[in-house]
Amino acid sequence: MRRRIAAFAVSALLAGGTAAMTLPAQTAVAAGHVTCHPDELSRQIAELKNKAAEQKRHGQREAARRTLAQADALQRKLHMCVKSDEDASKPFPR
């Protein structure tokens, strides 16, 4: 009984792996190009931080913590976006 279950599990994994390998990969054009808008992200971060400060003044500490977490996530996204733009290889290096 155990051997049948193990064999079935292995065959299911193999079948899933081959199905995943045969699916066509999405190109960057089909998937949609991700653009970076540092000014907009910076504005959103500032708005969220102001909102968190206002919530903290009104005694809503838990809501302020969640809002600051959103601002931190956007800050990380902005940092990664700017870093990827800086590290991107140029088409014709000088």
Side-chain angles (χ1 to χ4, degrees):
M1 181 71 173
R2 288 184 186 175
R3 288 183 184 168
R4 277 191 244 158
I5 292 173
F8 178 72
V10 169
S11 63
L13 286 173
L14 289 174
T18 55
M21 295 300 289
T22 58
L23 293 176
Q26 280 187 323
T27 62
V29 176
H33 185 66
V34 177
T35 57
C36 182
H37 302 290
D39 297 334
E40 183 179 333
L41 284 174
S42 296
R43 182 186 53 78
Q44 288 177 352
I45 291 166
E47 287 175 1
L48 285 173
K49 286 184 178 182
N50 288 337
K51 182 179 176 182
E54 186 71 25
Q55 289 171 337
K56 194 171 182 180
R57 278 194 293 275
H58 290 298
Q60 301 169 343
R61 296 198 183 277
E62 195 63 30
R65 186 184 61 78
R66 285 192 300 271
T67 305
L68 280 176
Q70 289 176 347
D72 288 341
L74 282 179
Q75 184 69 39
R76 285 191 300 275
K77 181 179 178 180
L78 175 64
H79 177 70
M80 286 188 299
C81 192
V82 169
K83 185 171 171 68
S84 68
D85 283 346
E86 290 173 356
D87 294 344
S89 63
K90 307 296 184 235
F92 300 107
R94 294 182 184 187

